[in-house]
Amino acid sequence: MTVFVCVCVCVCVCVCSLNSRVTMDAAEFRRRGKEMVDFVADYLENIEHRRVYPDVEPGYLRSMIPSEAPLEPESYEDVLKDVDRVIMPGITHWQSPHFHAYFPSASSYPALLADMLCGGLGCIGFTWAASPACTELETVMLDWLGKMLQLPEDFLAGTKGQGGGVIQGTASEATLMALLAARCKAVKCVHESDPQRSEADIISKLIAYTSEEAHSSVERAGLIGGVGIRMVATDEHFSVRAETLEKMVAEDKAAGFIPFFFCATLGTTPSCAFDKITELGPLCNAENIWMHIDAAYAGSSFICPEFRPLLDGVEFADSFNFNPHKWLLVNFDCSAMWVKKRTDLIGAFKLDPHWGIPLGRRFRSLKLWFVFRMYGQSGLQAYIRKHVELAKVFETMVKKDKRFEICAEVVLGLVCFRLKGSDELNEALLKEMTHLGRIHLVPCKLRGRFVLRFAVCGRTTELRHVQEAWTHITELSSELLLKHHS
């Protein structure tokens, strides 16, 4: 009895001690939450006045914070002070109208509020029972989005078809999922005709294909999936054509390999080129090759009728993916994937039927729901059209300056250009831009040449920002050419 009382007293003391050390209750959360909304709103409203690319060296942060976590609680004020002192100096400002690197990752206020709600609800939607609303809203939102893209009904869940959509974390995950599903399907197909053949032997003969311009994540998916992958040469527009792929498939079949997967790209990372899926699709269907379409950046534009023809041929695909978190005002992460036959995807795993690699899933469809309702299709279309128009303005300015050249067709919001001359000259120009930090661009290689990429990225990017960027580029180029010729 004495021991029991002592244990109870100890437990009570520990619980009371824990309660007294709670660092934030609901009342303070309300106050701090409003302060954080103000902090984020002020940051975004004034972001264009910040240096877009940070002036720090690798490893800068470690010496600015303790080497171990604090033993005792610290105040919220101290934490927030360190956001300014430690974090902000090392931030590349992706939401800045002066950010023209990579591709867009533009967010919006409705998406941020939805993400706050997602975190507050804290549900982990790994099954329907784990959170019915999380599962069902995602299914419906992917149908909404699929209809905005005018996807064939085969890809939608709310139809008589066998397909459906799911939110993945990134396009890299979607490509890997498609490849694993295709691998599983190919192994089953070979087993049906040759039951004695081992799975290991079949997999060793599988060959996947993708463009030489495709994102490195496709090659990485092949490595993870344990299959060979071949890069397909492109035409003068950096596009894969059916004739080239057909020749490679015939060669591999003659050598005893099993072609099983092709990842087509609509909007390649270097130049936003488009593989000819209206040619490639029928070839893949005839050869029993799974065709996956990666439209990570360009996919958002397909909600505009004038850009929808870029998706023609999707009816031949087995799976399709793009990132709303790139160009549809939904913050990272939110990558939309559809399959024509959902049993192919969930059947790729020998455990419980599952649509993705992680078991736990956040309530990401809330972001789509908020953004779709608060912008409407017309608002999202206007946003995309504006970016394309700004890219065309930049292209026109480049063409008017005889010192520069356009290196790839400008289809959407990306302009590939360079100073006429050596790679070293263009490398020096980019180095000086990065050093000054007023605008941020990244390069690519096209046909072995060093090329600058100007992407219209920010939600708040206006004509004046594009004009200011071009003025800055031309001024730096004049200084550089003067030094080069002196």
Side-chain angles (χ1 to χ4, degrees), residues 65-90:
I65 61 176
S67 59
E68 297 179 359
L71 183 62
E72 300 296 334
E74 297 182 2
S75 71
Y76 179 80
E77 288 86 354
D78 287 343
V79 175
L80 203 57
K81 284 177 184 176
D82 279 350
V83 170
D84 272 330
R85 183 182 68 87
V86 179
I87 302 302
M88 298 311 289

Side-chain angles (χ1 to χ4, degrees), residues 425-477:
L425 189 65
N426 285 278
E427 289 170 3
L429 174 59
L430 181 61
K431 184 178 180 181
E432 185 62 15
M433 278 191 278
T434 303
H435 171 70
L436 294 174
R438 286 174 53 186
I439 61 174
H440 187 38
L441 280 69
V442 293
C444 69
K445 281 290 185 78
L446 292 176
R447 297 285 184 260
R449 297 197 305 167
F450 187 91
V451 172
L452 302 175
R453 297 169 73 262
F454 182 93
V456 181
C457 293
R459 176 179 57 84
T460 59
T461 304
E462 301 288 347
L463 176 60
R464 64 180 176 87
H465 298 116
V466 174
Q467 292 170 331
E468 288 169 8
W470 179 241
T471 299
H472 183 55
I473 292 169
T474 55
E475 287 174 352
L476 291 180
S477 299

Side-chain angles (χ1 to χ4, degrees), residues 41 49 63 83 114 122 164 184 201 227 244 257 275 344 367 370:
H49 304 301
S63 64
V83 170
C184 181
D201 179 54
V227 299
T244 309
F257 291 103
D275 292 339
D344 286 340
K367 296 185 287 191
F370 275 44

Side-chain angles (χ1 to χ4, degrees), residues 33-235:
K34 292 170 185 175
E35 290 174 3
M36 183 55 75
V37 168
D38 284 341
F39 180 92
V40 172
D42 289 343
Y43 166 74
L44 292 173
E45 275 192 325
N46 297 289
I47 195 170
E48 70 173 284
H49 304 301
R50 293 178 180 265
R51 176 190 168 102
V52 66
Y53 190 73
D55 185 19
V56 295
E57 295 296 326
Y60 89 96
L61 187 145
R62 183 172 289 273
S63 64
M64 299 177 72
I65 61 176
S67 59
E68 297 179 359
L71 183 62
E72 300 296 334
E74 297 182 2
S75 71
Y76 179 80
E77 288 86 354
D78 287 343
V79 175
L80 203 57
K81 284 177 184 176
D82 279 350
V83 170
D84 272 330
R85 183 182 68 87
V86 179
I87 302 302
M88 298 311 289
I91 290 291
T92 300
H93 300 287
W94 281 67
Q95 306 305 315
S96 171
H98 305 302
F99 183 93
H100 302 292
Y102 313 108
F103 277 129
S105 185
S107 185
S108 63
Y109 294 121
L112 293 176
L113 291 173
D115 226 7
M116 183 187 296
L117 177 59
C118 171
L121 293 174
C123 60
I124 310 297
F126 53 87
T127 63
W128 179 88
S131 193
C134 180
T135 299
E136 296 198 12
L137 185 65
E138 182 168 329
T139 301
V140 176
M141 286 304 99
L142 269 291
D143 274 3
W144 276 20
L145 185 52
K147 290 173 182 176
M148 289 162 64
L149 297 166
Q150 300 178 50
L151 289 181
E153 284 197 354
D154 288 346
F155 287 99
L156 306 181
T159 66
K160 295 180 180 179
Q162 302 177 60
V166 61
I167 297 176
Q168 306 286 5
T170 64
S172 303
E173 289 180 33
T175 300
L176 176 58
M177 284 299 301
L179 183 138
L180 293 176
R183 188 186 73 172
C184 181
K185 187 176 181 179
V187 169
K188 287 179 180 177
C189 183
V190 174
H191 262 152
E192 288 175 0
S193 59
D194 189 359
Q196 302 305 314
R197 196 168 180 181
S198 71
E199 182 174 322
D201 179 54
I202 297 171
I203 291 175
S204 71
K205 296 297 183 181
L206 295 179
I207 294 290
Y209 306 88
T210 195
S211 167
E212 62 184 359
E213 298 291 319
H215 193 270
S216 60
S217 61
V218 183
E219 186 175 6
R220 189 164 63 247
L223 291 171
I224 296 171
V227 299
I229 188 161
R230 294 189 65 187
M231 303 299 168
V232 185
T234 58
D235 64 11

Side-chain angles (χ1 to χ4, degrees), residues 218-393:
V218 183
E219 186 175 6
R220 189 164 63 247
L223 291 171
I224 296 171
V227 299
I229 188 161
R230 294 189 65 187
M231 303 299 168
V232 185
T234 58
D235 64 11
E236 67 275 15
H237 301 294
F238 308 105
S239 305
V240 171
R241 307 299 298 266
E243 181 181 1
T244 309
L245 179 61
E246 186 175 25
K247 182 179 178 182
M248 294 176 70
V249 168
E251 291 172 354
D252 288 333
K253 288 172 69 176
F257 291 103
I258 307 169
F260 82 105
F261 179 80
F262 172 63
C263 180
T265 307
L266 298 182
T268 59
T269 300
S271 66
C272 197
F274 292 78
D275 292 339
K276 303 298 182 183
I277 58 173
T278 51
E279 303 173 1
L280 294 159
L283 170 64
C284 289
N285 289 178
E287 295 288 349
N288 200 27
I289 294 172
W290 181 298
M291 185 170 80
H292 174 68
I293 297 174
D294 174 6
Y297 161 66
S300 297
S301 72
F302 304 154
I303 69 169
C304 299
E306 64 269 33
F307 301 126
R308 176 55 179 78
L310 295 170
L311 188 55
D312 287 352
V314 68
E315 62 272 17
F316 300 111
D318 295 276
S319 53
F320 168 71
N321 164 252
F322 85 99
N323 291 340
H325 67 233
K326 274 192 169 63
W327 207 14
L328 214 57
L329 294 174
V330 174
N331 57 304
F332 188 85
D333 60 330
C334 184
S335 187
M337 179 186 186
W338 291 266
V339 287
K340 190 175 286 182
K341 192 174 180 182
R342 53 183 174 266
T343 54
D344 286 340
L345 188 64
I346 61 179
F349 298 92
K350 294 180 180 179
L351 302 173
D352 293 334
H354 203 52
W355 286 73
I357 296 166
L359 181 61
R361 302 175 56 76
R362 298 193 308 116
F363 203 163
R364 292 174 290 201
S365 57
L366 284 171
K367 296 185 287 191
L368 293 174
W369 196 40
F370 275 44
V371 169
F372 293 166
R373 294 181 67 183
M374 297 187 73
Y375 276 90
Q377 294 187 48
S378 61
L380 294 170
Q381 290 168 342
Y383 165 72
I384 288 166
R385 286 169 179 145
K386 180 179 178 181
H387 274 203
V388 176
E389 289 169 6
L390 291 176
K392 290 294 185 181
V393 169

